[in-house]
Amino acid sequence: DAQEQARQKHAEWRHPRSDYLTLLQLWNRWQQWGAESSNRQLRKLCKAHYVSYLRMEEWEAVYRQIADLLGEREDRRGHTANTPEAIEKLYLPLHQALLAGLVDHIGIKIPEKPEYQGPRGRRFRIFPGSKLAKKSPQWLMCAAIVQTRQVFARTCAAIEPEWLLEVAPQPCVLLRT
């Protein structure tokens, strides 16, 4: 019922070319809220912004566990990318690093269709909840390809085909039908 209101609230941290950077911006917002609010206020902020408080708490727990394992126990809020410029500087290295593990989740836009051609002849569409669904990039990578009534790519980002040469020496083999 509140889908449009949720979209408006989520627009505050949505990145136009990457769902990964959207998640990073949401994380930054969560850290900002946490620094300024009590738990009760955090719950209210999450509800007002249509964000799951429990899911954010889970993210926080995983983050703390990883920070503990890495020996980074001090507060790192000052070291995160929390400005638009810092986020944009992360675009290339972050997505190239992710691409190394997601090389089988890439696609090239099929002309005149809202679909992508992926490895092994797989065709898919961008999940409608993604910011990229309306403005489809020529090349795409995604975290997951799921099948419901249709085959959808979830958590997507625009990529450059040159990046594939670094992680997949023979990218045309990936897209062969």
Side-chain angles (χ1 to χ4, degrees):
D1 293 338
Q3 216 169 20
E4 188 56 37
Q5 293 93 330
R7 278 194 193 108
Q8 289 172 354
K9 291 288 188 176
H10 294 174
E12 296 175 27
W13 53 76
R14 289 189 79 118
H15 191 276
R17 297 184 309 142
S18 173
D19 295 338
Y20 301 97
L21 291 180
T22 294
L23 293 171
L24 177 60
Q25 292 182 126
L26 171 57
W27 175 253
N28 288 338
R29 182 61 52 95
W30 169 257
Q31 288 185 323
Q32 177 187 3
W33 289 344
E36 301 168 353
S37 309
S38 67
N39 276 347
R40 183 181 175 119
Q41 291 168 325
L42 263 177
R43 286 181 185 273
K44 286 182 180 180
L45 282 166
C46 285
K47 187 173 183 175
H49 286 84
Y50 301 93
V51 173
S52 169
Y53 175 80
L54 292 177
R55 178 65 54 93
M56 297 306 294
E57 283 289 311
E58 289 170 2
W59 279 14
E60 183 79 31
V62 169
Y63 173 81
R64 286 184 184 158
Q65 289 170 10
I66 292 171
D68 284 347
L69 287 171
L70 295 174
E72 297 182 10
R73 297 175 194 273
E74 75 273 0
D75 187 327
R76 308 231 350 128
R77 290 189 210 292
H79 301 287
T80 59
N82 54 14
T83 65
E85 297 80 21
I87 299 242
E88 282 307 312
K89 282 184 182 178
L90 280 178
Y91 196 92
L92 179 68
L94 174 72
H95 290 88
Q96 284 181 327
L98 289 169
L99 184 59
L102 298 172
V103 74
D104 63 332
H105 283 71
I106 61 168
I108 185 169
K109 179 89 171 69
I110 299 172
E112 309 298 324
K113 290 187 177 182
E115 292 183 319
Y116 284 82
Q117 176 70 48
R120 297 176 298 279
R122 184 173 22 184
R123 289 184 176 215
F124 55 87
R125 296 171 180 249
I126 298 174
F127 186 72
S130 172
K131 179 79 171 180
L132 286 93
K134 290 184 179 172
K135 215 172 195 180
S136 303
Q138 182 66 26
W139 284 85
L140 173 88
M141 79 169 172
C142 62
I145 297 176
V146 296
Q147 184 164 357
T148 55
R149 286 179 278 136
Q150 298 177 33
V151 181
F152 287 113
R154 299 196 73 160
T155 314
C156 303
I159 62 168
E160 297 298 326
E162 304 86 56
W163 301 352
L164 291 170
L165 296 174
E166 294 179 28
V167 296
Q170 298 175 345
C172 49
V173 172
L174 292 170
L175 297 176
R176 194 175 358 176
T177 55

